């Protein structure tokens, strides 16, 4: 099953809507779950273990009708079974209508009901435990028979990102033993920004209550002038506690810094929602025209919010959004004195957060952050990789293996920067060893593994999240299996190679340590000897083995040299049959009978190089014979 969720809005919406994937994964553990979002919002859902693929809606599609239609046609070719349209705007209507999905779900709108099979009406009131933003989204899953509860948005930072955040703060002379507060001094627009003088009063109160605290301002580079205006309105004593130039250069860096703060305080908006998703305490000030009932995600002692309606309800005779044009005047009515007692009580409750952050940072560096959902497996896993000059792939494959309890890389003295790249990953154990042959190198890596189960993949292979879930589920079933096969899908750059001899490739990539040994007589295309029962997994593994013509040619020559050594040991002596018939047969087999012709020009090139590899092995064998 393939499911597409569409949410082309801002960071807060994209983050909030990501809760659907946790519920969908529980219902459909092996489904492909894709998220269509604006490309700039990706950092808040990066590393989400429940999302398989991201489909980016770019400015090109926003600005060009032709590009939008082309985009919708690409979605159509993806053949999704279910489309859930949370965005519910013109562009998502078009995308949904073009899709071939047999189940289309969206919110009820009188003018678009004919496009969807299920039109879900939004609630007008909320319960005491859930807020409307969460409820509205989860209600979209009811047509699929999913009645989810107790799911909150989460942001997944790697331990590397946490450590970088900590290192940056220490280098800026931040004392992490003292309270650290991030202040959202500015909203996303003027009508979402608490008056400057009022915000300065809030910051003064924080420093009065927590004299040793350190204050960081959250603002965009283009807002620097306004941020300094608020700084200048603060008391001189307060200004001494404010560090104006401490901020992240990217959204992920900002998140790594926020994770170390005791609380985020200030204007309600995306930063507040991100802090909540990181389990950082928040105190948010709502704009008068924003509905607090919808956006006060998980109101409790750790997440406190205030709204003018709380103190002057008589002003609001209509829904909040009707006061958008009056928001600046209404803000003047929303004086800090109204909620100072609430703020002071909140500050008293922030001292424990730093202890929590310290416990995260002191976790074993061989692991990612413990709150990562995929770390719930009970069986321990060793992930193994053998590398040589894999700088293009190594970071991605390390990220894919984040669910493992240890990651070991056996490198053959790479010269392209792979080893330097590996030094960035403190949780990865790197061993340099001279290459002998693939079987010997794999057996060496297996001997270094600590745990019962091994996931052994090549650097140019990927483990999508649906495959990751299946691996963990199968291992934890404790069923009578000792090894698992995975079908690989081959790609030339980003194009899928469906034929050319690669359509039936299945390989062992998951097995028990004591149940496998690679046959060292096979020094190329190494074959594992498996003791016990095996099973083919349902999910597939992308294999990005062809980067260019030259890359594949050099790979074929490398394999040919190793195969020639194997043939030399077997006593094979080349003749015209080997030089002419065998390469020709290889090309005809792959290009004609294995339908390489259907892979287009890439198929022709691959089949040609496969034949060349056969030819080259006998050239190399002849060279070895002449040396002896």
């Amino acid at each position: 099953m393939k499911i597409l969720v569409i949410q082309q809005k801002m960071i807060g919406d994209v983050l909030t809507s990501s809760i659907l994937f946790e519920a969908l994964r529980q219902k459909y553990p092996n489904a492909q779950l894709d998220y269509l979002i604006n490309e700039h919002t990706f950092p808040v859902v990066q590393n989400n273990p429940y999302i398989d693929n991201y489909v980016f809606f770019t400015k090109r599609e926003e600005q060009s009708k032709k590009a939008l239609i082309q985009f919708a046609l690409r979605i159509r070719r993806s053949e999704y079974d279910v489309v859930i349209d949370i965005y519910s705007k013109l562009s998502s209507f078009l995308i949904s209508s073009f899709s071939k999905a047999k189940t289309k779900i969206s919110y009820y709108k009188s003018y678009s009901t004919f496009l969807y099979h299920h039109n879900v009406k939004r609630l007008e009131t909320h319960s005491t435990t859930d807020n409307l933003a969460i409820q509205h989204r989860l209600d979209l899953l009811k047509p699929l028979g999913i009645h989810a509860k107790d799911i909150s948005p989460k942001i997944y930072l790697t331990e590397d990102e946490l450590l970088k955040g900590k290192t940056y703060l220490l280098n800026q002379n931040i004392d992490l033993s003292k309270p650290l507060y991030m202040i959202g001094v500015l909203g996303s627009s003027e009508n979402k920004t608490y008056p400057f003088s009022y915000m300065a009063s809030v910051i003064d109160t924080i420093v009065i209550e927590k004299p040793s605290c350190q204050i960081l301002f959250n603002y965009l580079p283009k807002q620097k002038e306004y941020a300094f205006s608020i700084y200048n309105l603060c008391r001189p004593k307060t200004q001494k506690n404010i560090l104006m130039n401490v901020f992240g250069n990217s959204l992920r860096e900002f998140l790594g810094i926020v994770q170390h703060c005791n609380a985020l305080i200030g204007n309600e908006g995306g930063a507040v929602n991100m802090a909540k998703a990181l389990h950082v305490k928040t105190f948010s000030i709502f704009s008068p025209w924003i509905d607090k009932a919808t956006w006060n995600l998980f109101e409790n002692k750790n997440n406190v919010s205030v709204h003018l309606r709380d103190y002057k309800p008589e002003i609001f005779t209509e829904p909040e959004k009707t006061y958008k044009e009056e928001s600046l005047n209404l803000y003047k009515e929303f004086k800090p004195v109204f909620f100072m007692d609430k703020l002071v009580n909140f500050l008293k409750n922030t001292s424990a957060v730093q202890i929590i952050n310290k416990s995260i940072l002191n976790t074993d560096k061989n692991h990612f952050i413990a709150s990562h959902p995929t770390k719930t497996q009970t069986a321990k896993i060793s992930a193994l990789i053998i590398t040589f000059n894999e700088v293009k792939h190594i970071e991605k494959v390390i990220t894919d293996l984040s669910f493992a309890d240890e990651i070991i890389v056996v490198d053959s003295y790479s010269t392209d920067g792979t080893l330097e790249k590996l030094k960035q990953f403190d949780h990865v154990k790197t061993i340099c060893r001279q290459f002998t042959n693939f079987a010997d190198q794999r057996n060496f890596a297996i001997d270094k593994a600590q745990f019962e189960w091994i996931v052994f993949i090549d650097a140019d292979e990927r483990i999508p999240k649906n495959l990751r879930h299946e691996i963990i589920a199968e291992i934890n079933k404790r069923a009578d299996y000792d090894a698992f096969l995975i079908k690989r899908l081959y790609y030339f750059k980003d194009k899928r190679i469906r034929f050319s001899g690669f359509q039936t490739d299945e390989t062992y990539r998951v097995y028990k340590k004591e149940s496998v040994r690679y046959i060292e007589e096979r020094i190329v295309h190494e074959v594992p000897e498996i003791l016990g029962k095996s099973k083919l997994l349902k999910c597939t593994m992308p294999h990005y083995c062809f980067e260019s013509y030259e890359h594949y040619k050099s790979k074929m020559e490398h394999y040919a040299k190793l195969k020639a050594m194997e043939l030399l040991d077997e006593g094979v002596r080349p003749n015209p049959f080997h030089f002419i018939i065998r390469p020709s047969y290889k090309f005809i087999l792959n290009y004609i009978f294995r339908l390489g012709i259907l892979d287009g020009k890439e198929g022709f090139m691959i089949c040609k190089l496969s034949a060349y590899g056969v030819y080259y092995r006998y050239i190399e064998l002849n060279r070895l014979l002449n040396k002896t």
Side-chain angles (χ1 to χ4, degrees), residues 513-577:
K513 179 178 179 179
E514 303 303 324
S515 300
V516 67
R517 204 71 187 166
Y518 282 86
I519 303 169
E520 297 196 15
E521 287 76 14
R522 295 285 301 275
I523 60 177
V524 65
H525 299 306
E526 63 282 10
V527 177
E529 188 175 51
I530 302 294
L531 301 176
K533 292 174 62 178
S534 302
K535 177 182 177 181
L536 176 66
L537 297 181
K538 295 177 182 178
C539 298
T540 55
M541 168 185 286
H543 188 194
Y544 296 93
C545 57
F546 312 118
E547 294 178 8
S548 65
Y549 180 93
E550 292 74 19
H551 174 257
Y552 190 42
K553 182 180 179 182
S554 66
K555 181 179 284 191
M556 289 297 97
E557 289 177 349
H558 178 62
Y559 288 151
K561 290 176 181 178
L562 294 173
K563 185 65 177 179
M565 294 169 60
E566 193 175 291
L567 294 174
L568 180 68
D569 292 339
E570 294 174 4
V572 175
R573 304 188 74 84
N575 57 50
F577 172 82

Side-chain angles (χ1 to χ4, degrees), residues 12-286:
D13 299 280
V14 168
L15 176 60
T16 304
S17 297
S18 67
I19 63 172
L20 297 188
F21 290 91
E22 185 172 349
L24 285 166
R25 183 63 68 197
Q26 293 172 5
K27 176 75 172 182
Y28 306 110
N30 296 319
Q32 177 180 315
L33 306 181
D34 296 354
Y35 203 9
L36 195 163
I37 57 176
N38 289 326
E39 58 182 344
H40 70 274
T41 64
F42 171 64
V44 294
V45 289
Q46 187 176 343
N47 297 331
N48 188 307
Y50 304 111
I51 302 172
D52 293 313
N53 300 298
Y54 298 91
V55 183
F56 294 126
F57 192 82
T58 68
K59 289 184 178 179
R60 181 170 176 268
E61 285 80 38
E62 287 180 3
Q63 298 170 358
S64 167
K65 293 179 181 178
K66 180 180 177 181
L68 176 58
I69 292 173
Q70 290 173 339
F71 182 83
L73 288 172
R74 290 201 300 273
I75 297 298
R76 179 180 178 84
R77 289 193 292 271
S78 297
E79 298 183 345
Y80 288 100
D81 300 290
V82 178
V83 169
I84 302 173
D85 179 8
I86 308 173
Y87 186 50
S88 300
K89 300 291 184 182
L90 181 60
S91 59
S92 64
F93 295 160
L94 182 67
I95 294 166
S96 299
S97 64
F98 270 52
S99 78
K100 295 181 180 179
K102 294 180 180 179
T103 302
K104 300 176 185 178
I105 305 169
S106 188
Y107 292 120
Y108 173 82
K109 291 192 174 183
S110 58
Y111 51 84
S112 63
T113 54
F114 69 97
L115 286 175
Y116 303 97
H117 303 98
H118 302 278
N119 295 275
V120 178
K121 290 189 176 182
R122 288 181 172 92
L123 298 173
E124 295 182 0
T125 58
H126 68 98
S127 70
T128 56
T129 57
D130 296 320
N131 75 296
L132 284 176
I134 297 295
Q135 263 185 265
H136 285 160
R137 286 159 172 80
L138 292 178
D139 284 348
L140 288 170
L141 299 181
K142 289 181 179 179
L144 300 176
I146 301 174
H147 299 271
K149 291 183 178 181
D150 302 322
I151 299 179
S152 61
K154 303 176 185 67
I155 289 175
Y156 300 93
L157 295 177
T158 64
E159 184 172 310
D160 184 55
E161 288 173 315
L162 282 172
L163 291 173
K164 283 181 179 178
K166 177 185 179 183
T167 301
Y168 173 75
L169 291 172
L170 293 176
N171 288 339
Q172 296 295 322
N173 297 316
I174 299 291
D175 186 347
L176 294 178
S177 66
K178 296 179 180 179
L180 179 63
Y181 299 115
M182 178 73 76
I183 310 298
V185 289
L186 297 159
S188 58
S189 60
E190 186 180 10
N191 60 17
K192 288 186 177 181
T193 299
Y194 199 48
F196 288 6
S197 61
Y198 290 0
M199 180 60 73
S201 179
V202 169
I203 299 168
D204 286 339
T205 300
I206 294 170
V207 174
I208 290 170
E209 293 297 318
K210 299 283 185 178
S212 65
C213 76
Q214 301 149 107
I215 301 290
L216 308 180
F217 275 17
N218 172 38
Y219 59 91
L220 298 173
K222 64 181 180 181
Q223 298 173 322
K224 185 174 182 179
E225 180 183 348
Y226 301 123
F228 269 92
S229 295
I230 296 173
Y231 171 86
N232 290 327
L233 290 170
C234 293
R235 298 185 315 155
K237 287 186 178 180
T238 299
Q239 292 176 359
K240 293 178 181 179
N241 294 55
I242 301 173
L243 297 97
M244 288 294 295
N245 296 316
V246 179
F247 49 80
N249 291 317
S250 69
L251 184 51
R252 296 296 289 189
E253 289 181 9
F254 165 75
L255 295 171
I257 293 171
V258 171
Q259 182 69 80
H260 296 83
C261 294
N262 293 71
L264 191 148
I265 301 168
N267 290 284
E268 185 276 333
V272 169
N273 292 326
M274 287 187 280
K276 290 178 181 179
L278 290 168
H279 304 292
V280 172
K281 296 178 180 182
T282 63
F283 188 97
S284 51
I285 304 168
F286 272 82

Side-chain angles (χ1 to χ4, degrees), residues 183-433:
I183 310 298
V185 289
L186 297 159
S188 58
S189 60
E190 186 180 10
N191 60 17
K192 288 186 177 181
T193 299
Y194 199 48
F196 288 6
S197 61
Y198 290 0
M199 180 60 73
S201 179
V202 169
I203 299 168
D204 286 339
T205 300
I206 294 170
V207 174
I208 290 170
E209 293 297 318
K210 299 283 185 178
S212 65
C213 76
Q214 301 149 107
I215 301 290
L216 308 180
F217 275 17
N218 172 38
Y219 59 91
L220 298 173
K222 64 181 180 181
Q223 298 173 322
K224 185 174 182 179
E225 180 183 348
Y226 301 123
F228 269 92
S229 295
I230 296 173
Y231 171 86
N232 290 327
L233 290 170
C234 293
R235 298 185 315 155
K237 287 186 178 180
T238 299
Q239 292 176 359
K240 293 178 181 179
N241 294 55
I242 301 173
L243 297 97
M244 288 294 295
N245 296 316
V246 179
F247 49 80
N249 291 317
S250 69
L251 184 51
R252 296 296 289 189
E253 289 181 9
F254 165 75
L255 295 171
I257 293 171
V258 171
Q259 182 69 80
H260 296 83
C261 294
N262 293 71
L264 191 148
I265 301 168
N267 290 284
E268 185 276 333
V272 169
N273 292 326
M274 287 187 280
K276 290 178 181 179
L278 290 168
H279 304 292
V280 172
K281 296 178 180 182
T282 63
F283 188 97
S284 51
I285 304 168
F286 272 82
S287 170
W289 73 273
I290 300 296
D291 178 21
K292 177 182 170 182
T294 298
W295 286 106
N296 63 334
L297 302 186
F298 308 103
E299 185 88 353
N300 52 45
K301 68 176 183 179
N302 293 328
N303 298 308
V304 177
S305 62
V306 291
H307 192 288
L308 180 58
R309 180 189 278 272
D310 300 333
Y311 305 96
K312 290 195 171 185
E314 66 277 6
I315 293 176
F316 297 90
T317 58
E318 300 290 337
E320 282 86 343
K321 63 182 179 181
T322 60
Y323 296 93
K324 186 174 182 179
E325 300 301 322
E326 302 175 50
S327 59
L328 297 182
N329 288 327
L330 289 174
Y331 257 138
K332 295 176 182 177
E333 299 291 324
F334 195 12
K335 297 178 181 179
V337 67
F338 288 164
F339 56 82
M340 277 305 167
D341 288 346
K342 207 168 188 178
L343 176 62
V344 170
N345 288 331
F346 172 81
L347 292 169
K348 291 177 181 177
N349 189 42
T350 59
S351 58
V353 175
Q354 194 63 38
I355 299 172
I356 296 171
N357 283 339
K358 284 183 178 180
S359 70
I360 291 172
L361 291 169
N362 290 332
T363 55
D364 185 350
K365 290 185 179 180
N366 289 329
H367 297 68
F368 277 81
I369 182 170
S371 63
H372 197 294
T374 56
K375 295 295 291 177
T376 58
Q377 73 261 21
T378 55
K380 296 288 187 179
I381 296 175
S382 294
L384 309 179
I385 319 165
I386 57 175
T387 60
F388 177 70
N389 289 350
E390 296 287 0
V391 70
K392 292 181 180 179
H393 294 289
I394 194 64
E395 185 170 357
K396 290 182 180 179
V397 74
I398 293 295
T399 301
D400 281 0
L401 291 170
S402 62
F403 64 94
D405 296 275
E406 70 167 350
I407 301 176
I408 299 175
V409 177
V410 178
D411 185 85
S412 304
Y413 297 97
S414 291
T415 57
D416 69 337
T418 299
L419 291 172
E420 289 72 17
K421 196 76 172 177
L422 284 166
K423 289 177 182 178
Q424 299 177 15
F425 301 99
D426 294 336
H427 59 290
V428 175
K429 181 179 181 181
T430 303
I431 304 170
C432 287
R433 182 177 189 259

Side-chain angles (χ1 to χ4, degrees), residues 574-590:
N575 57 50
F577 172 82
H578 296 109
F579 290 110
I580 300 172
I581 303 301
R582 277 187 173 273
S584 300
Y585 171 76
K586 184 72 170 180
F587 178 82
I588 294 170
L589 175 66
N590 287 337

